[in-house]
Amino acid sequence: MSRYQPRPLQFARFSPQEMQARARALREHLQRRRTVRHFSSEPIPDGVLEDAIACAASAPSGANQQPWTFVVVRDPDTKAKLRHAAEEEERQSYGGRMSKEWLHELEPLGTTWEKPHITEAPALIIPFEQVWGRTEDGQRVKHYYAAESIGIAVGFLLAALHHAGLASLTHTPSPMKFLRELLGRPENERPFVLIPVGLPAPGAMVPDISRKPLDEVMILR
Ligand code: IYR
Protein backbone atom coordinates (compact mmCIF):
# COMPACT_ATOMS: atom_id res chain seq x y z
CA MET A 1 0.00 0.00 0.00
CA SER A 2 1.22 3.52 -0.82
CA ARG A 3 2.55 5.52 2.12
CA TYR A 4 0.80 8.56 0.61
CA GLN A 5 -2.72 8.54 2.03
CA PRO A 6 -4.28 11.98 1.47
CA ARG A 7 -7.39 13.24 3.22
CA PRO A 8 -9.54 16.35 2.61
CA LEU A 9 -8.04 19.67 3.71
CA GLN A 10 -9.81 21.61 6.47
CA PHE A 11 -9.44 25.27 5.56
CA ALA A 12 -11.12 28.42 6.93
CA ARG A 13 -11.90 30.91 4.13
CA PHE A 14 -12.31 34.61 4.93
CA SER A 15 -13.80 37.44 2.91
CA PRO A 16 -11.26 39.93 1.48
CA GLN A 17 -12.24 42.45 4.19
CA GLU A 18 -11.86 39.89 6.98
CA MET A 19 -8.54 38.79 5.54
CA GLN A 20 -7.26 42.36 5.46
CA ALA A 21 -8.44 43.03 8.99
CA ARG A 22 -6.85 39.85 10.32
CA ALA A 23 -3.56 40.52 8.53
CA ARG A 24 -3.41 44.06 9.90
CA ALA A 25 -4.35 42.98 13.42
CA LEU A 26 -1.60 40.36 13.57
CA ARG A 27 0.91 42.80 12.08
CA GLU A 28 0.15 45.32 14.81
CA HIS A 29 0.17 42.65 17.50
CA LEU A 30 3.52 41.14 16.50
CA GLN A 31 5.09 44.56 16.03
CA ARG A 32 4.47 45.17 19.72
CA ARG A 33 6.64 42.19 20.69
CA ARG A 34 9.93 43.20 22.26
CA THR A 35 12.79 41.10 23.48
CA VAL A 36 12.84 41.54 27.25
CA ARG A 37 15.91 41.16 29.46
CA HIS A 38 14.41 41.99 32.87
CA PHE A 39 11.89 39.50 34.23
CA SER A 40 9.61 39.38 37.24
CA SER A 41 9.56 36.06 39.10
CA GLU A 42 5.73 35.94 38.94
CA PRO A 43 4.60 32.44 37.97
CA ILE A 44 3.21 31.55 34.56
CA PRO A 45 -0.42 30.31 34.69
CA ASP A 46 -0.86 26.53 34.30
CA GLY A 47 -1.03 25.20 30.79
CA VAL A 48 0.24 28.31 28.98
CA LEU A 49 3.72 26.94 28.23
CA GLU A 50 2.22 23.62 27.16
CA ASP A 51 -0.04 25.42 24.68
CA ALA A 52 2.82 27.58 23.37
CA ILE A 53 5.04 24.53 22.87
CA ALA A 54 2.19 22.71 21.14
CA CYS A 55 2.00 25.73 18.77
CA ALA A 56 5.74 25.39 18.11
CA ALA A 57 5.42 21.67 17.51
CA SER A 58 2.67 22.31 14.93
CA ALA A 59 5.23 23.97 12.63
CA PRO A 60 6.00 22.48 9.22
CA SER A 61 9.25 20.51 9.09
CA GLY A 62 11.44 18.73 6.56
CA ALA A 63 9.71 15.45 5.60
CA ASN A 64 7.43 16.06 8.62
CA GLN A 65 10.22 14.64 10.80
CA GLN A 66 9.53 17.19 13.55
CA PRO A 67 13.18 17.26 14.55
CA TRP A 68 12.77 19.04 17.86
CA THR A 69 12.59 18.68 21.63
CA PHE A 70 11.60 21.57 23.92
CA VAL A 71 13.03 21.38 27.44
CA VAL A 72 11.17 23.48 30.04
CA VAL A 73 13.16 24.41 33.15
CA ARG A 74 11.39 25.75 36.24
CA ASP A 75 13.59 24.17 38.92
CA PRO A 76 15.61 26.96 40.66
CA ASP A 77 18.73 24.77 41.11
CA THR A 78 18.81 23.86 37.44
CA LYS A 79 18.31 27.51 36.48
CA ALA A 80 21.19 28.50 38.77
CA LYS A 81 23.47 25.89 37.18
CA LEU A 82 22.52 27.05 33.69
CA ARG A 83 23.12 30.67 34.58
CA HIS A 84 26.51 29.89 36.07
CA ALA A 85 27.58 27.91 32.99
CA ALA A 86 26.22 30.52 30.56
CA GLU A 87 27.97 33.34 32.37
CA GLU A 88 31.27 31.41 32.37
CA GLU A 89 31.10 31.18 28.58
CA GLU A 90 29.79 34.71 28.07
CA ARG A 91 32.46 36.21 30.31
CA GLN A 92 35.05 34.75 27.94
CA SER A 93 33.08 35.75 24.86
CA TYR A 94 32.62 39.39 25.89
CA GLY A 95 36.15 39.40 27.34
CA GLY A 96 37.89 38.67 24.03
CA ARG A 97 36.37 35.78 22.03
CA MET A 98 33.97 38.09 20.21
CA SER A 99 35.43 40.44 17.61
CA LYS A 100 35.47 44.23 18.10
CA GLU A 101 33.08 44.49 15.13
CA TRP A 102 30.63 42.11 16.81
CA LEU A 103 30.76 43.95 20.13
CA HIS A 104 30.22 47.20 18.23
CA GLU A 105 27.08 45.79 16.57
CA LEU A 106 25.74 44.71 19.98
CA GLU A 107 26.33 48.05 21.71
CA PRO A 108 22.81 49.43 21.07
CA LEU A 109 21.32 46.36 22.76
CA GLY A 110 23.18 46.92 26.04
CA THR A 111 24.02 43.22 26.53
CA THR A 112 26.86 42.09 28.82
CA TRP A 113 28.23 38.74 30.05
CA GLU A 114 25.82 38.90 33.00
CA LYS A 115 22.66 36.85 32.51
CA PRO A 116 20.36 37.47 35.51
CA HIS A 117 17.33 36.67 33.34
CA ILE A 118 18.27 32.96 33.47
CA THR A 119 17.49 32.79 37.18
CA GLU A 120 14.92 35.60 37.38
CA ALA A 121 12.48 34.36 34.74
CA PRO A 122 10.02 31.78 36.11
CA ALA A 123 10.73 29.42 33.22
CA LEU A 124 13.28 28.71 30.52
CA ILE A 125 12.49 26.94 27.28
CA ILE A 126 15.45 25.34 25.53
CA PRO A 127 14.54 24.08 22.05
CA PHE A 128 16.86 21.35 20.78
CA GLU A 129 17.37 20.51 17.11
CA GLN A 130 17.43 16.76 16.53
CA VAL A 131 20.23 16.73 14.01
CA TRP A 132 19.41 13.08 13.26
CA GLY A 133 16.82 10.67 14.61
CA ARG A 134 16.26 7.01 15.38
CA THR A 135 13.64 4.53 14.22
CA GLU A 136 11.73 2.53 16.81
CA ASP A 137 14.28 -0.28 16.46
CA GLY A 138 17.17 2.12 17.09
CA GLN A 139 18.45 2.67 13.52
CA ARG A 140 19.86 6.13 12.78
CA VAL A 141 17.61 8.22 10.48
CA LYS A 142 18.89 11.21 8.52
CA HIS A 143 16.92 14.42 9.20
CA TYR A 144 16.26 16.78 6.30
CA TYR A 145 16.32 20.57 6.78
CA ALA A 146 16.47 20.18 10.58
CA ALA A 147 18.02 23.64 11.10
CA GLU A 148 15.34 25.35 9.01
CA SER A 149 12.62 23.34 10.74
CA ILE A 150 13.64 24.24 14.29
CA GLY A 151 13.99 27.87 13.23
CA ILE A 152 10.42 27.91 11.95
CA ALA A 153 9.18 26.15 15.11
CA VAL A 154 10.92 28.68 17.37
CA GLY A 155 9.30 31.48 15.35
CA PHE A 156 5.91 29.92 16.08
CA LEU A 157 6.91 29.58 19.76
CA LEU A 158 7.88 33.24 20.16
CA ALA A 159 4.65 34.35 18.49
CA ALA A 160 2.58 32.01 20.70
CA LEU A 161 4.26 33.26 23.89
CA HIS A 162 3.67 36.86 22.86
CA HIS A 163 0.05 36.11 21.95
CA ALA A 164 -0.48 34.62 25.43
CA GLY A 165 0.91 37.79 27.01
CA LEU A 166 4.35 36.54 27.98
CA ALA A 167 7.68 38.18 27.36
CA SER A 168 10.62 36.19 26.03
CA LEU A 169 14.28 36.53 25.16
CA THR A 170 16.22 34.59 22.55
CA HIS A 171 19.50 34.19 24.39
CA THR A 172 22.40 32.55 22.58
CA PRO A 173 25.16 31.68 25.04
CA SER A 174 28.14 30.59 23.02
CA PRO A 175 29.26 27.84 22.83
CA MET A 176 25.99 26.20 23.90
CA LYS A 177 27.21 22.64 24.45
CA PHE A 178 26.78 22.94 28.24
CA LEU A 179 23.00 22.97 27.75
CA ARG A 180 22.99 19.43 26.41
CA GLU A 181 25.19 18.23 29.24
CA LEU A 182 23.35 19.97 32.09
CA LEU A 183 19.92 19.03 30.72
CA GLY A 184 20.89 15.41 30.01
CA ARG A 185 19.94 15.42 26.35
CA PRO A 186 21.20 12.75 23.91
CA GLU A 187 24.04 13.16 21.41
CA ASN A 188 21.73 13.73 18.42
CA GLU A 189 20.31 16.91 19.96
CA ARG A 190 21.86 20.35 19.48
CA PRO A 191 20.71 23.24 21.67
CA PHE A 192 19.30 25.97 19.43
CA VAL A 193 18.66 28.89 21.78
CA LEU A 194 17.83 29.49 25.46
CA ILE A 195 14.53 31.32 25.95
CA PRO A 196 13.73 32.87 29.35
CA VAL A 197 9.94 33.35 29.56
CA GLY A 198 7.77 35.28 31.97
CA LEU A 199 6.32 38.67 32.75
CA PRO A 200 8.54 41.72 32.48
CA ALA A 201 9.91 43.13 35.74
CA PRO A 202 8.10 46.30 36.84
CA GLY A 203 9.82 49.20 35.11
CA ALA A 204 11.62 46.92 32.62
CA MET A 205 13.55 48.90 30.02
CA VAL A 206 14.23 47.94 26.40
CA PRO A 207 16.63 49.45 23.86
CA ASP A 208 15.15 52.22 21.73
CA ILE A 209 15.57 50.44 18.42
CA SER A 210 13.28 49.99 15.42
CA ARG A 211 12.66 47.58 12.56
CA LYS A 212 13.53 48.27 8.94
CA PRO A 213 10.69 49.82 6.92
CA LEU A 214 8.69 47.44 4.77
CA ASP A 215 10.03 48.86 1.49
CA GLU A 216 13.52 47.83 2.56
CA VAL A 217 12.64 44.25 3.34
CA MET A 218 9.96 43.52 0.74
CA ILE A 219 10.85 43.57 -2.98
CA LEU A 220 8.23 43.49 -5.72
CA ARG A 221 9.19 42.09 -9.11
N1 IYR B 1 25.68 35.44 22.97
C1 IYR B 1 25.80 36.74 23.58
C2 IYR B 1 26.04 37.83 22.59
C3 IYR B 1 24.91 38.25 21.74
C4 IYR B 1 24.96 38.01 20.39
C5 IYR B 1 23.98 38.46 19.56
I1 IYR B 1 24.15 38.18 17.57
C6 IYR B 1 22.88 39.17 20.11
O1 IYR B 1 21.87 39.63 19.26
C7 IYR B 1 22.83 39.42 21.46
C8 IYR B 1 23.82 38.94 22.26
C9 IYR B 1 24.63 37.04 24.51
O2 IYR B 1 23.64 36.31 24.48
O3 IYR B 1 24.74 38.01 25.25
Side-chain angles (χ1 to χ4, degrees), residues 37 90 93-94 98 102 106 109 111-115 117 170-174:
R37 292 193 159 78
E90 293 292 272
S93 295
Y94 281 86
M98 287 154 77
W102 192 353
L106 290 181
L109 303 185
T111 58
T112 72
W113 65 268
E114 287 176 290
K115 302 300 173 193
H117 40 256
T170 45
H171 170 42
T172 50
S174 175

Short mmCIF file of all heavy atoms in Angstrom, two decimals, residues 37 90 93-94 98 102 106 109 111-115 117 170-174, ligand 1:
data_model
loop_
_atom_site.label_atom_id
_atom_site.label_comp_id
_atom_site.label_asym_id
_atom_site.label_seq_id
_atom_site.Cartn_x
_atom_site.Cartn_y
_atom_site.Cartn_z
N ARG A 37 14.76 41.70 28.72
CA ARG A 37 15.91 41.16 29.46
C ARG A 37 15.76 41.30 30.97
O ARG A 37 16.66 40.93 31.70
CB ARG A 37 17.21 41.85 28.99
CG ARG A 37 17.60 41.50 27.58
CD ARG A 37 19.02 41.90 27.20
NE ARG A 37 19.47 41.13 26.06
CZ ARG A 37 19.12 41.35 24.80
NH1 ARG A 37 18.32 42.35 24.50
NH2 ARG A 37 19.56 40.56 23.84
N GLU A 90 29.99 33.34 28.55
CA GLU A 90 29.79 34.71 28.07
C GLU A 90 30.87 35.66 28.57
O GLU A 90 31.25 36.60 27.88
CB GLU A 90 28.40 35.21 28.50
CG GLU A 90 27.26 34.47 27.83
CD GLU A 90 27.19 34.75 26.34
OE1 GLU A 90 26.54 35.72 25.94
OE2 GLU A 90 27.82 34.00 25.56
N SER A 93 33.46 35.20 26.16
CA SER A 93 33.08 35.75 24.86
C SER A 93 33.22 37.27 24.86
O SER A 93 33.91 37.85 24.01
CB SER A 93 31.65 35.36 24.50
OG SER A 93 31.57 33.96 24.34
N TYR A 94 32.55 37.92 25.83
CA TYR A 94 32.62 39.39 25.89
C TYR A 94 34.02 39.86 26.22
O TYR A 94 34.42 40.97 25.85
CB TYR A 94 31.62 39.94 26.91
CG TYR A 94 30.20 39.99 26.40
CD1 TYR A 94 29.37 38.88 26.49
CD2 TYR A 94 29.68 41.15 25.81
CE1 TYR A 94 28.07 38.91 26.02
CE2 TYR A 94 28.38 41.19 25.34
CZ TYR A 94 27.57 40.06 25.45
OH TYR A 94 26.28 40.11 24.98
N MET A 98 34.75 37.42 21.25
CA MET A 98 33.97 38.09 20.21
C MET A 98 34.81 39.22 19.61
O MET A 98 35.54 39.89 20.32
CB MET A 98 32.67 38.66 20.80
CG MET A 98 31.64 37.59 21.12
SD MET A 98 30.52 38.10 22.44
CE MET A 98 29.45 39.20 21.59
N TRP A 102 31.84 42.74 16.23
CA TRP A 102 30.63 42.11 16.81
C TRP A 102 30.18 42.90 18.03
O TRP A 102 29.00 43.26 18.16
CB TRP A 102 30.94 40.64 17.15
CG TRP A 102 29.73 39.82 17.47
CD1 TRP A 102 28.44 40.27 17.61
CD2 TRP A 102 29.69 38.40 17.68
NE1 TRP A 102 27.61 39.21 17.90
CE2 TRP A 102 28.34 38.06 17.96
CE3 TRP A 102 30.64 37.37 17.67
CZ2 TRP A 102 27.94 36.75 18.22
CZ3 TRP A 102 30.23 36.07 17.94
CH2 TRP A 102 28.91 35.77 18.20
N LEU A 106 26.62 45.01 18.84
CA LEU A 106 25.74 44.71 19.98
C LEU A 106 25.54 45.91 20.90
O LEU A 106 24.61 45.89 21.72
CB LEU A 106 26.33 43.56 20.80
CG LEU A 106 26.29 42.18 20.14
CD1 LEU A 106 26.88 41.14 21.08
CD2 LEU A 106 24.86 41.80 19.77
N LEU A 109 22.21 47.26 22.02
CA LEU A 109 21.32 46.36 22.76
C LEU A 109 21.65 46.34 24.25
O LEU A 109 20.86 45.85 25.06
CB LEU A 109 21.43 44.92 22.20
CG LEU A 109 21.13 44.76 20.72
CD1 LEU A 109 21.16 43.29 20.32
CD2 LEU A 109 19.77 45.36 20.36
N THR A 111 23.78 44.54 25.92
CA THR A 111 24.02 43.22 26.53
C THR A 111 25.42 43.17 27.16
O THR A 111 26.33 43.88 26.73
CB THR A 111 23.90 42.09 25.49
OG1 THR A 111 24.84 42.34 24.44
CG2 THR A 111 22.51 42.02 24.90
N THR A 112 25.55 42.34 28.19
CA THR A 112 26.86 42.09 28.82
C THR A 112 26.97 40.59 29.10
O THR A 112 26.03 39.83 28.81
CB THR A 112 27.00 42.83 30.16
OG1 THR A 112 26.16 42.17 31.13
CG2 THR A 112 26.63 44.30 30.05
N TRP A 113 28.07 40.17 29.72
CA TRP A 113 28.23 38.74 30.05
C TRP A 113 27.27 38.32 31.15
O TRP A 113 27.03 37.13 31.34
CB TRP A 113 29.67 38.43 30.46
CG TRP A 113 30.09 39.12 31.74
CD1 TRP A 113 30.70 40.33 31.85
CD2 TRP A 113 29.91 38.63 33.08
NE1 TRP A 113 30.90 40.65 33.17
CE2 TRP A 113 30.44 39.61 33.95
CE3 TRP A 113 29.36 37.48 33.63
CZ2 TRP A 113 30.42 39.48 35.34
CZ3 TRP A 113 29.35 37.35 35.02
CH2 TRP A 113 29.87 38.34 35.86
N GLU A 114 26.69 39.27 31.88
CA GLU A 114 25.82 38.90 33.00
C GLU A 114 24.44 38.50 32.49
O GLU A 114 23.87 39.20 31.65
CB GLU A 114 25.70 40.07 33.98
CG GLU A 114 26.98 40.26 34.77
CD GLU A 114 26.90 41.48 35.66
OE1 GLU A 114 26.90 42.59 35.10
OE2 GLU A 114 26.81 41.30 36.88
N LYS A 115 23.92 37.39 33.01
CA LYS A 115 22.66 36.85 32.51
C LYS A 115 21.67 36.60 33.64
O LYS A 115 21.21 35.46 33.87
CB LYS A 115 22.94 35.54 31.72
CG LYS A 115 23.91 35.73 30.54
CD LYS A 115 23.39 36.72 29.51
CE LYS A 115 24.41 37.05 28.43
NZ LYS A 115 24.01 38.22 27.61
N HIS A 117 18.65 37.17 33.80
CA HIS A 117 17.33 36.67 33.34
C HIS A 117 17.22 35.14 33.45
O HIS A 117 16.12 34.61 33.51
CB HIS A 117 17.04 37.13 31.91
CG HIS A 117 18.22 37.08 30.99
ND1 HIS A 117 18.91 38.20 30.61
CD2 HIS A 117 18.84 36.05 30.42
CE1 HIS A 117 19.89 37.86 29.81
NE2 HIS A 117 19.88 36.55 29.68
N THR A 170 15.44 35.63 23.24
CA THR A 170 16.22 34.59 22.55
C THR A 170 17.69 34.80 22.91
O THR A 170 18.37 35.63 22.32
CB THR A 170 16.02 34.72 21.03
OG1 THR A 170 16.14 36.10 20.67
CG2 THR A 170 14.67 34.19 20.60
N HIS A 171 18.13 34.05 23.90
CA HIS A 171 19.50 34.19 24.39
C HIS A 171 20.36 33.09 23.77
O HIS A 171 19.96 31.93 23.73
CB HIS A 171 19.50 34.10 25.92
CG HIS A 171 20.84 33.98 26.54
ND1 HIS A 171 21.93 34.72 26.12
CD2 HIS A 171 21.29 33.21 27.56
CE1 HIS A 171 22.98 34.41 26.86
NE2 HIS A 171 22.62 33.49 27.73
N THR A 172 21.53 33.50 23.28
CA THR A 172 22.40 32.55 22.58
C THR A 172 23.76 32.47 23.25
O THR A 172 24.75 32.99 22.71
CB THR A 172 22.60 33.00 21.12
OG1 THR A 172 23.00 34.40 21.14
CG2 THR A 172 21.34 32.86 20.31
N PRO A 173 23.83 31.84 24.44
CA PRO A 173 25.16 31.68 25.04
C PRO A 173 26.03 30.90 24.07
O PRO A 173 25.53 30.03 23.37
CB PRO A 173 24.88 30.88 26.32
CG PRO A 173 23.58 30.18 26.08
CD PRO A 173 22.80 31.08 25.16
N SER A 174 27.29 31.23 24.03
CA SER A 174 28.14 30.59 23.02
C SER A 174 29.49 30.21 23.62
O SER A 174 30.13 31.05 24.24
CB SER A 174 28.33 31.56 21.86
OG SER A 174 29.21 31.05 20.92
N1 IYR B 1 25.68 35.44 22.97
C1 IYR B 1 25.80 36.74 23.58
C2 IYR B 1 26.04 37.83 22.59
C3 IYR B 1 24.91 38.25 21.74
C4 IYR B 1 24.96 38.01 20.39
C5 IYR B 1 23.98 38.46 19.56
I1 IYR B 1 24.15 38.18 17.57
C6 IYR B 1 22.88 39.17 20.11
O1 IYR B 1 21.87 39.63 19.26
C7 IYR B 1 22.83 39.42 21.46
C8 IYR B 1 23.82 38.94 22.26
C9 IYR B 1 24.63 37.04 24.51
O2 IYR B 1 23.64 36.31 24.48
O3 IYR B 1 24.74 38.01 25.25
#
